Amino acid sequence: MSKHIVIVGGGIAGMTAAAALAQQDFRVTLLESAPQLGEIGAGVTLSPNAMKGLDFLGVCEKAAAVGVEPTRQRIQHWQDGRTLVQMDRSTQRAKYGAPYVTIHRADLHEVLTAAALDAGVEVRCGAAVVGSEGPEAILAGGERIGGDLLVGADGVKSVIRQRFETTAAHFTGHVAWRALVPVTPELQELSDFPGIFIGPGAMLNRYNVRGSKVMNLVFFARQAGWNEEGWMLPADPAELHSIYAGWCDDAQKLVDAACAQPLFKWAINARSALPNWIIDDNVTLIGDAAHAMTPFLGHGAACGIEDGVVLARALRASNTIGGGLARYQAARHERASFIQAESNANADRMQGQDAALFGLGDMKDEESLGLFQYDCRTVEV
């Protein structure tokens, strides 16, 4: 009988790992605390390195079809809207062998779930994990579900990570607001040329999802005194108007559009890099449970997808679970820790006091840092 792997958490990282492992002929049980599957939230960026991971699962083009492939993006000055940096996205397939896609999380999750179920993954919803012992997950009612390997994919507040450290996730000092807005004639130009407005201590990101009929808006600001983390916390529109007062007319259009829709706010929590992701050769972490990071390189989901694919490849290439985990950690730890650090640094670069200086000198973003070139399908394991 094939090795049995239990995954805790059915988000992007967990569902990717489940599909990849089942496709490699492992028996997989996925435990999800929500009563039914379906990622909440709004948009997510899938850079070419992430799409290569979806290609490993055979769903790259399915995801691209329900997402949007932008041809260009730009970074603009908060005060007058002038373009500081422009990025050409039209050559991503030719340059990196995979597209650059913006997509609604629920649409991506549906694609991943279908891949996992088609591969034979057993999914148990409403399975709230409260602890673990060895490679066993302990459910709220006391039931224990164990296998040969336990994978913690249960996010920034991971229960499984408590086996590795007792330190809680920390508030990064950043707060975010999000809204999905219909693309009206007034917003069409901003939809046609997506990007980010940057200013002192704040930024405003926009990109298209769902056939470019909807824009995903995310507002970021530094804010002390509030650190409640959660996807569905209602926000006060007056607060958003206050933070972005004095920003250019196009930014005001986006603020007005967001405030006319359901608006949500959450504190951005993250984790410090762990020195080790393996316990007793039968417990490991992936995704945010391993390396929760700030979103300022747009690589949280991408790292989770990469983790899932590399874990499956490493285990398939090994005779033992312990050997596979060692290969997985060797292939992933340095990259994930680097992206964690650079995401934090990018927040300072993009929210500096003089936005006009952004892009002058050494440009550091996800592409210039070389992140798009990574290929989780072929990296050595």
Side-chain angles (χ1 to χ4, degrees):
M1 179 180 290
S2 63
K3 298 291 187 181
H4 182 202
I5 299 174
V6 177
I7 299 174
V8 178
I12 291 173
M15 200 60 76
T16 298
L21 286 160
Q23 288 179 0
Q24 299 301 308
D25 298 324
F26 291 95
R27 179 186 165 206
V28 181
T29 298
L30 185 145
L31 306 176
E32 169 55 45
S33 61
Q36 61 186 20
L37 291 174
E39 273 279 300
I40 59 175
V44 63
T45 297
L46 297 177
S47 46
N49 48 299
M51 295 301 288
K52 293 170 191 173
L54 299 188
D55 180 67
F56 181 85
L57 302 180
V59 297
C60 173
E61 296 306 328
K62 288 182 180 179
V66 295
V68 174
E69 292 185 51
T71 59
R72 57 182 183 168
Q73 291 176 315
R74 60 178 166 169
I75 297 174
Q76 296 171 261
H77 193 282
W78 68 281
Q79 213 164 19
D80 55 22
R82 70 183 184 273
T83 297
L84 300 171
V85 178
Q86 180 170 331
M87 290 84 80
D88 179 8
R89 300 297 191 202
S90 65
T91 62
Q92 302 292 282
R93 284 180 178 267
K95 190 173 182 180
Y96 299 110
Y100 182 105
V101 172
T102 54
I103 189 172
H104 194 290
R105 280 181 177 268
D107 298 339
L108 171 61
H109 199 260
E110 185 176 348
V111 169
L112 291 172
T113 300
L117 294 176
D118 288 347
V121 174
E122 177 194 5
V123 177
R124 291 187 54 174
C125 292
V129 174
V130 297
S132 66
E133 186 175 303
E136 288 186 326
I138 304 171
L139 303 189
E143 181 183 2
R144 291 170 175 257
I145 299 177
D148 299 289
L149 170 64
L150 180 66
V151 179
D154 47 341
V156 65
K157 295 184 177 180
S158 169
V159 171
I160 308 304
R161 182 168 173 137
Q162 293 173 11
R163 296 272 294 278
F164 293 77
E165 66 167 0
T166 56
T167 304
H170 62 272
F171 176 52
T172 63
H174 299 277
V175 173
W177 296 257
R178 65 175 176 86
L180 290 166
V181 305
V183 177
T184 61
E186 185 181 29
L187 298 178
Q188 189 64 57
E189 185 177 351
L190 288 164
S191 169
D192 291 343
F193 202 166
I196 305 173
F197 289 97
I198 63 172
M203 55 191 285
L204 193 175
N205 192 9
R206 69 185 185 279
Y207 55 82
N208 296 316
V209 297
R210 294 184 167 166
S212 295
K213 295 179 180 178
V214 177
M215 257 198 302
N216 183 65
L217 302 181
V218 189
F219 305 80
F220 298 99
R222 299 181 189 275
Q223 188 177 85
W226 189 87
N227 61 357
E228 191 171 354
E229 194 272 338
W231 277 102
M232 301 297 291
L233 303 172
D236 181 0
E239 183 180 34
L240 201 63
H241 279 292
S242 175
I243 290 170
Y244 290 90
W247 286 50
C248 66
D249 290 345
D250 280 345
Q252 295 303 323
K253 287 181 184 178
L254 296 174
V255 172
D256 291 342
C259 291
Q261 302 296 323
L263 181 67
F264 303 97
K265 175 182 180 181
W266 79 99
I268 298 175
N269 291 323
R271 293 283 194 174
S272 300
L274 278 175
N276 178 52
W277 297 347
I278 304 166
I279 289 179
D280 296 334
D281 286 345
N282 58 21
V283 180
T284 194
L285 302 172
I286 64 173
D288 284 350
H291 44 65
M293 61 188 67
T294 57
F296 301 111
L297 278 178
H299 256 66
C303 277
I305 290 169
E306 292 173 355
D307 286 348
V309 170
V310 172
L311 177 63
R313 290 183 56 231
L315 289 169
R316 181 58 186 264
S318 303
N319 294 323
T320 64
I321 293 291
L325 293 183
R327 289 173 184 244
Y328 158 66
Q329 178 164 289
R332 292 295 304 152
H333 190 276
E334 182 178 358
R335 175 175 170 85
S337 299
F338 172 78
I339 294 174
Q340 271 186 299
E342 286 296 330
S343 292
N344 293 336
N346 214 37
D348 296 330
R349 291 191 285 261
M350 299 187 78
Q351 298 179 38
Q353 291 303 304
D354 191 347
L357 297 178
F358 184 81
L360 299 178
D362 291 335
M363 173 72 177
K364 289 189 177 182
D365 64 3
E366 67 272 31
E367 186 168 14
S368 65
L369 288 168
L371 303 186
F372 291 3
Q373 296 170 357
Y374 183 89
D375 193 338
C376 59
R377 301 168 300 182
T378 59
V379 66
E380 183 179 356
V381 294

